[in-house]
Amino acid sequence: MSDAQTITPEEVREAFAAFLKERADAGVLIAQAVTDITVTHRVVRITFDLNESLMSINPFENLAQFAGQPIAFRNEECARVRAGVDSVDTQLPDGTSLGALTAAEIYKLGAGLELADEK
C-alpha cells in the first residue's frame, strides 16, 4: 500500500469495498444491496439496488453518511483513504441519487471536526 499522498483510486475503491463487505457480512441489509463501487476523478460512486422494503428501513436521509464511513473518522486509515477522495455519491442502478457528501462534510459528521483541523 502506498502512503496518503499517493493513494490510488483502486486502493480507495478497495477500502470502501472492504468496509461495505464487512457490514454486509455482519448482516446489514443495506450494505448487502451494494452492486457497484467506482472511483473516478476522486469521486467514490456507490450503487445500491434497494427495493421498497430496504428503502423503508434505511435510517439515513443521505446514504453517503453510511457509505462514507471509511473516510469519516480521525485515524490513520481514514486519513489515508480521505487523501484520495473529494466526495462520495450514492445512487440507485437507474442513477437516482441516494445522497452525496464531500469528504469534508463526511469528516465533520464522523469526527466532529473541520477537515482543516485534522492537520
Side-chain angles (χ1 to χ4, degrees):
M1 298 247 258
S2 58
D3 64 27
Q5 287 72 36
T6 60
I7 190 166
T8 67
E10 182 57 26
E11 289 172 317
V12 170
R13 193 198 67 71
E14 288 172 5
F16 278 83
F19 163 73
L20 291 162
K21 182 183 182 321
E22 184 272 325
R23 300 312 307 140
D25 290 349
V28 177
L29 296 176
I30 292 170
Q32 292 173 1
V34 171
T35 59
D36 193 32
I37 303 168
T38 61
V39 180
T40 307
H41 304 293
R42 299 177 52 89
V43 175
V44 178
R45 181 163 288 114
I46 303 168
T47 303
F48 292 83
D49 192 3
L50 298 175
N51 59 32
E52 281 188 40
S53 295
L54 288 176
M55 289 295 282
S56 71
I57 64 167
N58 174 16
F60 299 96
E61 187 174 313
N62 182 335
L63 209 47
Q65 292 173 281
F66 167 66
Q69 290 185 44
I71 63 170
F73 303 105
R74 190 176 188 178
N75 61 50
E76 188 175 315
E77 181 59 19
C78 284
R80 183 179 167 281
V81 176
R82 194 168 44 251
V85 177
D86 289 335
S87 65
V88 175
D89 295 345
T90 59
Q91 65 182 23
L92 292 172
D94 68 3
T96 301
S97 178
L98 295 171
L101 292 168
T102 67
E105 291 169 327
I106 292 168
Y107 185 66
K108 179 142 179 124
L109 288 168
L113 298 169
E114 298 295 331
L115 202 48
D117 296 338
E118 180 183 47
K119 307 291 183 219

